Amino acid sequence: MANGRIRARIRRSHLYTFSCLRPNVQESEEGSSLPEGPGFSRVVHCNQPVVHRKRPLKYPNNHISTTKYNALTFLPKALFEQFRRAANIYFLLAAMLSLTSISPFSAVSMIAPLSIVVGLTMAKEAVEDWNRFIQDRKVNHRKVNVHKEGGVFSYKAWQDVRVGDVVKVEKDQFFPADLLLLSSSYDDGICYVETMNLDGETNLKVKRSLEVTLPLDDDATFKDFTGLIKCEDPNPNLYTFVGNLEYDRQIYPLDPSQILLRDSKLRNTAYVYGVVIFTGHDTKVMQNATESPSKRSTVERKMDSIIYILFSVLVLISVISSVGFAVKTRYAMPHQWYLQPYDPSNTLYNPKKPALSGLFHLVTALILYGYLIPISLYVSIEFVKFLQAKFINRDKDMYDEESGTFAEARTSNLNEELGMVDTILSDKTGTLTCNQMDFLKCSIAGTAYGTRTSEVEIAAAKQIAMDLEEQNSDVSGIQPMENHSGLGASEIELETVITSKDEKAHKPAIKGFSFEDNRLMDGKWLQEPNSEQILLFFRILSVCHTAVPEFNEVTGAFTYEAESPDEAAFLVAAREFGFEFCKRTQSSVVVREKYSSWGQPVEREYKILNLLDFTSKRKRMSVIVRDEDGQILLLCKGADSIIFDRLSKNGKGYLDATTKHLNEYGDAGLRTLALAYKKLEESEYSAWNNEFQKAKSSIGGDREGMLERVSDMMEKDLILVGATAVEDKLQPGVPQCIDKLAQAGLKLWVLTGDKMETAINIGFACSLLRQGMKQICISTTNLEESAQDSKEAIKENILMQITNASQMVKLEKDPNAAFALIIDGKSLTYALENDMKQQFLNLAVDCASVICCRVSPKQKALVTRLVKEGTEKTTLAIGDGANDVGMIQEADIGVGISGAEGMQAVMASDFSIAQFRFLEKLLLVHGHWCYKRIAQMICYFFYKNIAFGLTLFYFEAFAGFSGQSIYDDWYSLSFNVILTSLPVISLGVFEQDVSSDVCLEFPALYQQGPKNLFFDWLRIFGWMGNGVYTSIVIFFLNIIIFCDQAFRAGGQTADMSVVGTVMFTSVIWAVNCQIALTMSHFTWIQHALIWGSIAMWYLFLFLYGSFSPTISGDAYQLLVQSLAPAPIFWATTLLVTLACTMPYFAHISFQRYLRPLDHHIIQEIKYYKKDVEDEFMWSREMSKARQKTKIGFTARVEAKMRQLKARLQKKQSGTSYQGPTFRTYVHE
């Protein structure tokens, strides 16, 4: 391993002050007690897996499964899923009854369609679950080196690993189970672990073994190894572990720093040995997983309600028919001699038992009127959704060239749900960001350095320029005031940035270093007036850290393994400035300074005396070193709010200028840290070090508190040197995408495993947060100082924080005020409890943005469930790692990003994309289209079937409720299958109210989905009413026209076959013309399918009538000989069609003229080409089409505009104006 010898000499445990202290023997003896009872009953016999093959110590094996079904459960569960649909239950009953003699249709005609629909859907489910099974199989069959016996190791599949097994994991391999680290390839038992799949963090974590197990560093040493582990039971908490190890007659306490979790990866360590504690579904990553849910869209669930309504109508008219039939049977049948003679054995027509006859007729009517509930609806929807998914999969605008990946609709069940999303819950690392830190700017001794602009500044400047163009009238009104006041342009500029004309020429060639400023490069800093402070600044960067260098033989430069990407960026920056950190030993670091005072490179060694590590609570880190001149220095870096409070009176010389620069950096979305130092006298250091060693070696629960207090004594009276600003590279297009989603009225929550400071800075980078936004931070940090605080006290305190914050939000009177809620994982644990979660949700909903930090995968899922169930609105979760699987499955829609963290999130998702920015088109275009298409398609489907089905009922009333259909059986069967199916499919696949470009230009159009404008009950009942009206017009107009009117040449009136055929022709024309009026977007395909369906009816009637009378019956030669020559046939068809469609035509005309919807206005502008002829009107309409938002670049620009106007007004009035000052949150 590169530089392995250097690393092997480093005893990292001696460097850490807080998080990585090794327990000494006394601590082991007194701190080894483990709580007894439920929750702490796990017993593991190390190197004795055979003990765990029988009860009571038999634990689950290491096989995992993420599938919804298995071989035994597929059939019952899949059938259950299908028959959760109300319509399928009805058709199942109808199919069963079709086997009896009372059915008006044959059994095959009822059973075959149901079998096809259910079979195809189940096959689709099987294919999707099979893909999950294949992925699980690959994981279960991975190989790992396992100790057999006698010090011999051999490879086993992961699924065969047992509790108690000793395993050897090698570099870049995943851990197969939750392990206790015993030793590693390093002398002091440390190893580096990447936990990206668990918490989304790409920076490496340092794990270290107990000192007592360090000799177990070779295969042969495990020949006689035994031990006993007693620990907590399986639980989902990733960041805690309680247990102890009994080894060599001693008891040693265990903590999370010795635990290696499944699905994390070993990095930069040749190998480690570990003993298996938890396997399979007992592991913490699987404890955080949730079962694959069966998801149904809001539209589909509402469709079930419509089915229930129609079924109620069906039962009602069937009861009316059966009652009418019973009455007719009882009173009329004995006098109707032309009917079949009385047969006592025939219970279907028995005047003496009319109730029984009516009951049998009820079953007949239920089947006969079944066209009110169309089975073809489900087939058509499945087919339409399949084609919609194909369009999503082949959208070139969602193709990622770098990875060669298209978007993928992994399930087509939720296409329309994409258009109804209210809240997006997003992971951060790998989803919003690339987790690549670039050193961009710095402030040294009150002077700002760095000329490059951040992504946030560039995008904000572009947005400001666009808004200024749109607000020309406002700016022209301000400009004369500016000139009149004598203000210079520099005084009133929007504090934006001047960007290079050719940004491509300035792309950073060095990973982690995007700095540009000739004043500091190539040793030119020596010519600066503050060169001594610059020298100190660079030395702090190169010395104050915990990283380990590795020499890259390919590039000839050092790379750095750091615990955070920020720290790595600082070291890369120091190297590029000429201060290369090149070596670390147990007690020193060596820096090669390229530009020394005598012009030759020189290596300087700094003796490390103490390292005070960074924690979320401290928000700073310090190192105490002795330089080559014997001077003791404390070098410190941390959050500005922390560092500034610790400055001496003489150390604030650059405070005002640095604060100004930090505010500018924060507004540019950069992560900032302040750097400071102080010189120590020998006596001062010795006295402090004695106190520090006492605190370090103390025994008791308050040791951490003592160390904190002693460290606090040293980290004061500092002298400010400057500040750094690094940029966490966002994925391409993320800020613009978030801004567009915000304009569409969508809310965005960020759920991340990162610490609060990192999440806040990313919030600034992607404009979820901005300067001036009031941050509500809910945390348990301050409570941890008192170890005696009970859980109830902590819970009460968090509830008080939530209550106070809610009150503050409600009392805010400024309409432009924006609040951001930021909460950590520990606080979230209490906030998600039943008695508090509603208050937490109410507060979160009132805030413009919500960021949850340090959350476990389980908490991500719980937050998602809370939002979904608490708001009762559609949620979408998006992530790219295994730690996001829980929330992806819990949300109404799960979107996986096929990134660098494996395929776990993609395999659990409903849709997958390669970049977060593709979410914009997935929702605003495909989601908008799919929602409107499916909604209109379903409404139209019910309309046409009501229009058709009720004519059967009306005829029943005219025919004595005899059960006779006015239509030929083949007419009825072809109605949904051939004659009306293709136009409705074209509506579901090709309909566009506006083009994709307009969807993106007018994001507010998206709100038609969340507001459910096209599938609310008013619209549904409107379509149903239209169907009832159409059925009445078709039936009664035809009856009135043909009842007494001579039809044939001999003066005969029309018979039932003629009336039925003319009536059916009217239905075909009416419903197809209705769908033509419904469509907004026509291509040759729609025209061909609509008018082709009508032509198909005439062709069908011609061909059907050409068969012999034994097949065609009364339809024999009907079109050729009777209908086509009769003008009344054509006139009736035209009259009925006009009468049926006129009300809908009047409705849409009235709506467009008096109460137009947004898309109506846009359609008219596009039709009259006003978007080309009148660009100002088009821009004005685009501005109106933004939902008012308090996040995103748009909100940031509007805030800047308000500041500008306020400044101009104050300067106009002659008062001196100080720009608004906001406290910048700066964090590591």
Coordinates of all heavy atoms in Angstrom, one line a residue, residues 69 73-83 85 88 114-129 382:
Y69 N -42.4 -10.1 -3.0 CA -43.0 -11.4 -3.1 C -41.9 -12.5 -3.0 O -40.7 -12.2 -3.2 CB -43.8 -11.6 -4.4 CG -44.7 -10.5 -4.8 CD1 -44.4 -9.6 -5.8 CD2 -45.9 -10.3 -4.1 CE1 -45.3 -8.6 -6.1 CE2 -46.8 -9.3 -4.5 CZ -46.5 -8.4 -5.5 OH -47.3 -7.4 -5.8
T73 N -45.6 -16.5 -1.7 CA -46.6 -15.4 -1.5 C -47.0 -14.7 -2.7 O -47.9 -13.8 -2.7 CB -45.9 -14.4 -0.5 OG1 -44.8 -13.8 -1.1 CG2 -45.6 -15.1 0.8
F74 N -46.3 -15.0 -3.9 CA -46.6 -14.2 -5.1 C -48.1 -14.3 -5.5 O -48.7 -13.2 -5.7 CB -45.7 -14.6 -6.2 CG -46.1 -13.9 -7.5 CD1 -45.8 -12.6 -7.7 CD2 -46.8 -14.6 -8.5 CE1 -46.2 -11.9 -8.9 CE2 -47.1 -13.9 -9.7 CZ -46.8 -12.6 -9.9
L75 N -48.6 -15.5 -5.6 CA -49.9 -15.6 -6.1 C -51.0 -15.0 -5.2 O -51.8 -14.2 -5.6 CB -50.2 -17.1 -6.3 CG -51.4 -17.4 -7.2 CD1 -51.3 -16.8 -8.6 CD2 -51.6 -18.9 -7.3
P76 N -50.9 -15.3 -3.9 CA -52.0 -14.7 -3.0 C -51.8 -13.2 -2.9 O -52.8 -12.4 -2.9 CB -51.8 -15.4 -1.7 CG -50.4 -16.0 -1.7 CD -50.2 -16.3 -3.1
K77 N -50.6 -12.7 -2.7 CA -50.4 -11.3 -2.6 C -50.7 -10.5 -3.8 O -51.3 -9.4 -3.8 CB -49.0 -11.0 -2.1 CG -48.7 -11.3 -0.7 CD -47.3 -11.0 -0.2 CE -47.1 -9.5 -0.1 NZ -45.7 -9.2 0.5
A78 N -50.3 -11.0 -5.0 CA -50.5 -10.3 -6.3 C -52.0 -10.3 -6.6 O -52.5 -9.3 -7.1 CB -49.7 -11.0 -7.4
L79 N -52.7 -11.4 -6.3 CA -54.1 -11.5 -6.5 C -54.8 -10.5 -5.6 O -55.8 -9.8 -6.0 CB -54.7 -12.9 -6.3 CG -54.4 -13.9 -7.4 CD1 -54.8 -15.3 -7.0 CD2 -55.1 -13.5 -8.7
F80 N -54.3 -10.4 -4.3 CA -54.9 -9.4 -3.4 C -54.8 -8.0 -3.9 O -55.7 -7.2 -3.9 CB -54.3 -9.6 -2.0 CG -54.6 -8.5 -1.1 CD1 -55.9 -8.4 -0.5 CD2 -53.7 -7.4 -0.8 CE1 -56.2 -7.4 0.4 CE2 -54.1 -6.4 0.1 CZ -55.3 -6.4 0.7
E81 N -53.6 -7.7 -4.5 CA -53.3 -6.4 -5.0 C -54.3 -6.1 -6.2 O -54.8 -5.0 -6.3 CB -51.9 -6.3 -5.6 CG -50.8 -6.2 -4.5 CD -51.0 -5.0 -3.6 OE1 -51.3 -4.0 -4.1 OE2 -50.7 -5.2 -2.4
Q82 N -54.6 -7.1 -7.0 CA -55.4 -6.9 -8.2 C -56.9 -6.7 -7.7 O -57.6 -5.9 -8.3 CB -55.3 -8.0 -9.1 CG -54.0 -8.1 -9.8 CD -53.6 -6.8 -10.5 OE1 -54.3 -6.2 -11.3 NE2 -52.4 -6.3 -10.1
F83 N -57.3 -7.5 -6.7 CA -58.7 -7.4 -6.3 C -59.0 -6.4 -5.2 O -60.0 -6.4 -4.6 CB -59.2 -8.8 -6.0 CG -59.3 -9.7 -7.2 CD1 -58.4 -10.7 -7.5 CD2 -60.3 -9.4 -8.1 CE1 -58.5 -11.4 -8.6 CE2 -60.4 -10.2 -9.3 CZ -59.5 -11.2 -9.6
R85 N -58.9 -3.5 -6.3 CA -59.6 -2.6 -7.2 C -61.1 -3.1 -7.2 O -61.4 -4.2 -7.5 CB -59.0 -2.7 -8.6 CG -57.6 -2.2 -8.7 CD -57.0 -2.5 -10.1 NE -55.8 -1.7 -10.3 CZ -55.0 -1.9 -11.4 NH1 -55.3 -2.7 -12.3 NH2 -53.9 -1.1 -11.5
N88 N -62.5 -4.8 -10.4 CA -62.1 -6.1 -10.6 C -62.9 -7.1 -9.8 O -63.2 -8.2 -10.2 CB -60.6 -6.3 -10.3 CG -59.7 -5.8 -11.4 OD1 -60.2 -5.4 -12.4 ND2 -58.4 -5.7 -11.1
L114 N -61.3 -10.4 -18.1 CA -60.8 -10.3 -16.7 C -59.5 -11.0 -16.5 O -58.5 -10.5 -15.9 CB -61.8 -10.9 -15.7 CG -61.4 -10.8 -14.2 CD1 -61.3 -9.4 -13.8 CD2 -62.4 -11.6 -13.4
S115 N -59.4 -12.2 -17.1 CA -58.1 -13.0 -17.0 C -57.0 -12.3 -17.7 O -55.8 -12.2 -17.2 CB -58.3 -14.4 -17.6 OG -59.3 -15.1 -17.0
I116 N -57.2 -11.6 -18.8 CA -56.2 -10.9 -19.5 C -55.7 -9.7 -18.7 O -54.5 -9.5 -18.6 CB -56.7 -10.5 -20.9 CG1 -56.9 -11.7 -21.8 CG2 -55.7 -9.5 -21.6 CD1 -57.6 -11.4 -23.1
V117 N -56.7 -8.9 -18.2 CA -56.3 -7.7 -17.4 C -55.5 -8.1 -16.2 O -54.4 -7.5 -16.0 CB -57.6 -7.0 -17.0 CG1 -57.3 -5.8 -16.1 CG2 -58.3 -6.4 -18.2
V118 N -56.0 -9.0 -15.4 CA -55.3 -9.4 -14.2 C -54.0 -10.1 -14.5 O -53.0 -9.8 -13.8 CB -56.2 -10.3 -13.3 CG1 -55.4 -10.9 -12.1 CG2 -57.4 -9.6 -12.8
G119 N -54.0 -10.9 -15.5 CA -52.7 -11.7 -15.8 C -51.6 -10.7 -16.3 O -50.5 -10.9 -15.9
L120 N -51.9 -9.8 -17.1 CA -50.9 -8.8 -17.6 C -50.4 -8.0 -16.5 O -49.1 -7.8 -16.4 CB -51.5 -7.9 -18.7 CG -51.8 -8.6 -20.1 CD1 -52.5 -7.6 -21.0 CD2 -50.5 -9.1 -20.7
T121 N -51.2 -7.5 -15.6 CA -50.8 -6.7 -14.5 C -49.9 -7.5 -13.5 O -48.9 -7.0 -13.0 CB -52.0 -6.1 -13.7 OG1 -52.9 -5.5 -14.7 CG2 -51.5 -5.0 -12.7
M122 N -50.3 -8.7 -13.3 CA -49.5 -9.6 -12.4 C -48.1 -9.9 -13.0 O -47.1 -10.0 -12.3 CB -50.3 -10.9 -12.0 CG -51.4 -10.7 -11.1 SD -52.4 -12.2 -10.8 CE -51.2 -13.3 -10.1
A123 N -48.1 -10.1 -14.3 CA -46.9 -10.4 -15.0 C -45.9 -9.2 -14.9 O -44.7 -9.3 -14.7 CB -47.1 -10.7 -16.5
K124 N -46.5 -8.0 -15.0 CA -45.7 -6.8 -14.8 C -45.1 -6.7 -13.4 O -43.9 -6.4 -13.2 CB -46.5 -5.5 -15.1 CG -45.7 -4.2 -15.0 CD -46.6 -3.1 -15.5 CE -47.7 -2.7 -14.5 NZ -47.2 -2.1 -13.3
E125 N -45.9 -7.0 -12.4 CA -45.4 -7.0 -11.0 C -44.3 -8.0 -10.8 O -43.3 -7.8 -10.1 CB -46.6 -7.3 -10.1 CG -47.6 -6.2 -9.9 CD -47.0 -5.1 -9.0 OE1 -46.5 -5.4 -8.0 OE2 -47.2 -3.9 -9.3
A126 N -44.5 -9.2 -11.5 CA -43.5 -10.3 -11.3 C -42.1 -9.9 -11.9 O -41.1 -10.1 -11.3 CB -44.0 -11.5 -12.0
V127 N -42.2 -9.2 -13.1 CA -40.9 -8.8 -13.7 C -40.2 -7.8 -12.8 O -39.0 -7.8 -12.6 CB -41.2 -8.2 -15.1 CG1 -40.0 -7.5 -15.7 CG2 -41.7 -9.3 -16.0
E128 N -40.9 -6.8 -12.3 CA -40.3 -5.8 -11.4 C -39.7 -6.4 -10.2 O -38.6 -6.0 -9.8 CB -41.4 -4.7 -11.1 CG -41.8 -3.8 -12.2 CD -43.0 -2.9 -11.9 OE1 -43.5 -3.0 -10.7 OE2 -43.3 -2.1 -12.7
D129 N -40.4 -7.4 -9.6 CA -39.9 -8.0 -8.4 C -38.7 -8.9 -8.7 O -37.9 -9.1 -7.9 CB -41.0 -8.7 -7.7 CG -40.8 -8.7 -6.2 OD1 -40.7 -7.6 -5.6 OD2 -40.9 -9.8 -5.5
E382 N -53.6 0.8 -18.1 CA -52.3 0.1 -18.1 C -51.5 0.3 -19.4 O -50.3 0.6 -19.3 CB -52.5 -1.4 -17.9 CG -53.1 -1.8 -16.5 CD -52.0 -1.7 -15.4 OE1 -50.8 -1.6 -15.7 OE2 -52.4 -1.6 -14.2

